[in-house]
Amino acid sequence: MSLFSEKNVFRLIVLTFVLATLYRLYPVFLGPSVLREAFMTEDGYLMLTIARNMAIGLGMSVSDGTIASNGVQPLATFIFAVPYVLTDGDKVLGIAGVQIISAVIAVAGIFAVHAFMRLVLAPHSNRPIWPWLLTALWFASPHMLMHTMNGLETGLYSVMLMLTLVSFAKVLTQPDPRRMGPPLLLGVVGGITFLARNDAVFMLFAVFGVWFSYAVFVARHGLLPTLRVMIPSGALIVLIASPWLVNNFINFGSIVPVSGTAQALSGGFARNADLLPAILFEYTFLMLPVPSGVQLLPVFQWGAAATVAVIVAVYMVLMWRKGGVVRYVVLAYAIYAATMCAYYGFYFGAGWFLSRYLSPLAPLLTVAAFCVAHAGVTKLAPADPARILRGLGVAALLVCFALLGRLLVPGVKEQGHFQVVDWVTANVAEDEWVGAVQTGTVGYWHDRTINLDGKVNPDALHVLLTEGHVLNYVVDSQITYLADWEGIATWVTDEMAGRNGRFAAAFDLILHEPENNLAVLKRR
């Protein structure tokens, strides 16, 4: 039997699902020292701080329950509060519970992504191995594995986006366009998807825009009959989303969470455009992460952008030639992808989060690359194209395993904030207040921590918007220590201090360790 026979590749796919699931769970079994750093990110800890405070009766808040916050995505935060309810707020057991929940959601993603892959691959090939192979590649990809286990909403959001597209397909393929069942299901799924992450609004606008255009101009269902089924579906989305939107507007003055406003402060036109080629390339070829030193090389940027553009363009042409309503599902997904790239690449700030923000585009780009490869291999090697494609798929999965293994090597991947946590734990009493720009990790492990970049602190955000800095805010606060990355030392050593004599007179630099990326200021 050939090494790349369909039976053997199916066995590898099953093994991939098992091993990638166990990989997601290994920190739970290795104890607190591994659990706290393996997958958890700075922003993940922000979300878990709020989830824990909800569970112990402090509501959606930070800073030991003293500052109300909406700087999270609501659905995942509520789900992640469950382990803290069950453990009376235990911080270590709570993280373990969140990791288990995240792994369960990722496993659910196998079936959601497979349903999408099977749907969009049907016009090209009805062989069941291809949707499973692409799903396995998505599940084992280092980027996707890390993004689905980071203590944030990314995994849940990816699942819900896939379900939204599959639900949209059911709307377009139902025999009787007047039936309300599929449109109402789309409304429910779409509303939940919005609660998973608010930028799902881009997907929902794309879906409803394509739905309206298809129903009125292609299927000729008529304007009024189309609106009769679309309006209740859209109203259901608004109904499900409205409690969160109303809460944001009444309590925080904007329907956009404070985290979104704070991250946009670092934006500017095309601020992140130079990062798009590498990220889109990585999600087109999930087994090929681009080294950071290569990402900003002009020759790579132009080559990657051209490669992705050609693949997507050829795929859309292939899809359109196949006909059928599935192409309209792909069109909605493509519009969403273009909108996300435009928004996060040309308007938004916080470029260091771009990989996570755009990770929901991976299924579309991966299936586009496969379909183009399928068409090319079928034309160049018509005798046995399936065997060649299976071989390429096996190679891609093996590369993913090698990359995941490399991440286990000590020093290859570091969380980057525990030097601050360790110093605060060793030197600051529990009842003393700490301030930092980055307070996700330290704020989780030290309750009395005040956020200064505004991502979860509306007061700091207001000061940043009105004064341009938080120096007066810090001086007037209860903060005794400022502990963060070593750049915070400049607050008393150069132009930052020159802008505010009060701050320079109130705080001294007591620790500066560039080699450990750590600095600490203390109130006099």
Side-chain angles (χ1 to χ4, degrees):
M1 182 181 292
S2 170
L3 178 64
F4 300 134
S5 69
E6 193 162 301
K7 191 172 184 179
N8 281 339
V9 175
F10 262 122
R11 288 171 177 165
L12 178 61
I13 290 170
V14 173
L15 181 63
T16 297
F17 290 141
V18 173
L19 293 180
T21 300
L22 293 176
Y23 193 102
R24 285 170 163 84
L25 292 173
Y26 84 86
V28 176
F29 301 104
L30 294 185
S33 61
V34 176
L35 180 65
R36 71 177 192 167
E37 295 192 55
F39 297 131
M40 289 298 304
T41 61
E42 167 75 1
D43 273 29
Y45 272 121
L46 285 174
M47 179 172 280
L48 297 198
T49 298
I50 294 177
R52 179 177 177 272
N53 281 352
M54 289 167 55
I56 61 177
L58 299 178
M60 297 190 76
S61 67
V62 292
S63 302
D64 207 18
T66 61
I67 299 176
S69 178
N70 68 341
V72 291
Q73 301 297 332
L75 183 57
T77 308
F78 276 80
I79 293 173
F80 290 160
V82 173
Y84 296 100
V85 172
L86 299 177
T87 62
D88 293 326
D90 188 284
K91 293 182 178 180
V92 174
L93 292 177
I95 294 177
V98 167
Q99 295 293 284
I100 293 171
I101 290 173
S102 298
V104 170
I105 291 172
V107 170
I110 293 174
F111 301 98
V113 172
H114 175 262
F116 169 78
M117 293 296 185
R118 184 177 61 181
L119 175 73
V120 298
L121 285 174
H124 303 273
S125 173
N126 59 3
R127 301 180 76 131
I129 191 170
W130 304 134
W132 284 117
L133 182 59
L134 295 184
T135 302
L137 184 58
W138 174 86
F139 192 66
S141 164
H143 276 306
M144 297 312 305
L145 192 147
M146 292 299 175
H147 287 323
T148 56
M149 297 299 296
N150 56 9
L152 288 162
E153 74 287 343
T154 317
L156 178 64
Y157 183 44
S158 297
V159 171
M160 294 310 304
L161 279 176
M162 293 298 100
L163 294 180
T164 298
L165 289 166
V166 172
S167 299
F168 180 41
K170 291 184 181 297
V171 171
L172 296 184
T173 56
Q174 64 175 342
D176 183 358
R178 296 170 298 178
R179 284 186 60 214
M180 289 304 302
L184 292 179
L185 176 63
L186 175 61
V188 171
V189 174
I192 295 173
T193 303
F194 178 85
L195 293 180
R197 184 167 173 85
N198 296 171
D199 63 17
V201 67
F202 296 137
M203 175 65 85
L204 297 174
F205 274 118
V207 163
F208 275 74
V210 171
W211 181 10
F212 178 84
S213 300
Y214 169 79
V216 174
F217 302 111
V218 179
R220 305 288 184 177
H221 293 157
L223 178 60
L224 290 180
T226 297
L227 292 178
R228 286 194 192 104
V229 294
M230 287 188 67
I231 290 175
S233 180
L236 200 51
I237 292 174
V238 174
L239 181 65
I240 293 171
S242 59
W244 178 245
L245 298 176
V246 170
N247 168 74
N248 292 345
F249 186 77
I250 291 177
N251 294 318
F252 301 95
S254 171
I255 61 173
V256 179
V258 294
S259 55
T261 304
Q263 289 169 346
L265 292 178
S266 61
F269 181 72
R271 181 67 177 267
N272 299 326
D274 58 346
L275 300 175
L276 286 175
I279 292 170
L280 296 178
F281 184 88
E282 289 177 331
Y283 290 141
T284 305
F285 306 100
L286 284 171
M287 78 302 287
L288 297 177
V290 180
S292 57
V294 176
Q295 291 182 1
L296 298 181
L297 294 177
V299 63
F300 171 79
Q301 291 177 327
W302 285 105
T307 300
V308 174
V310 169
I311 287 174
V312 172
V314 172
Y315 171 62
M316 294 303 293
V317 171
L318 290 173
M319 197 71 189
W320 220 253
R321 286 178 177 174
K322 295 292 182 181
V325 297
V326 173
R327 58 184 172 169
Y328 294 101
V329 177
V330 175
L331 177 61
Y333 199 169
I335 293 172
Y336 164 75
T339 308
M340 291 282 283
C341 290
Y343 180 69
Y344 287 114
F346 291 85
Y347 168 73
F348 206 71
W352 45 93
F353 295 133
L354 210 62
S355 178
R356 172 165 66 86
Y357 293 154
L358 298 183
S359 62
L361 308 187
L364 172 65
L365 295 174
T366 302
V367 79
F370 172 81
C371 289
V372 172
H374 184 277
V377 171
T378 301
K379 188 172 183 178
L380 296 174
D384 194 5
R387 185 174 182 275
I388 296 174
L389 290 170
R390 290 196 299 267
L392 292 173
V394 168
L397 289 176
L398 293 179
V399 171
C400 287
F401 283 129
L403 292 170
L404 290 175
R406 181 176 177 272
L407 291 176
L408 297 177
V409 176
V412 171
K413 178 184 178 297
E414 295 182 352
Q415 206 266 358
H417 295 273
F418 274 94
Q419 73 277 22
V420 183
V421 173
D422 293 340
W423 189 92
V424 169
T425 301
N427 296 278
V428 180
E430 290 186 3
D431 61 349
E432 288 187 292
W433 286 92
V434 174
V437 175
Q438 305 172 106
T439 57
T441 309
V442 68
Y444 180 86
W445 296 102
H446 184 83
D447 294 330
R448 294 202 163 190
T449 301
I450 295 177
N451 170 260
L452 300 178
D453 67 1
K455 283 170 68 174
V456 291
N457 183 352
D459 297 331
L461 177 60
H462 174 72
V463 171
L464 284 168
L465 292 171
T466 55
E467 298 182 25
H469 60 79
V470 292
L471 301 182
N472 288 321
Y473 175 77
V474 172
V475 172
D476 295 334
S477 72
Q478 306 173 72
I479 292 172
T480 302
Y481 294 92
L482 293 165
D484 209 320
W485 284 354
E486 64 103 7
I488 202 172
T490 64
W491 287 22
V492 294
T493 59
D494 60 14
E495 69 278 0
M496 283 287 287
R499 276 197 277 166
N500 193 301
R502 290 183 65 218
F503 183 87
F507 283 85
D508 287 322
L509 179 66
I510 64 169
L511 180 68
H512 188 201
E513 296 181 353
E515 67 278 10
N516 294 324
N517 198 14
L518 172 65
V520 180
L521 284 66
K522 184 179 181 181
R523 189 183 293 269
R524 291 180 178 176

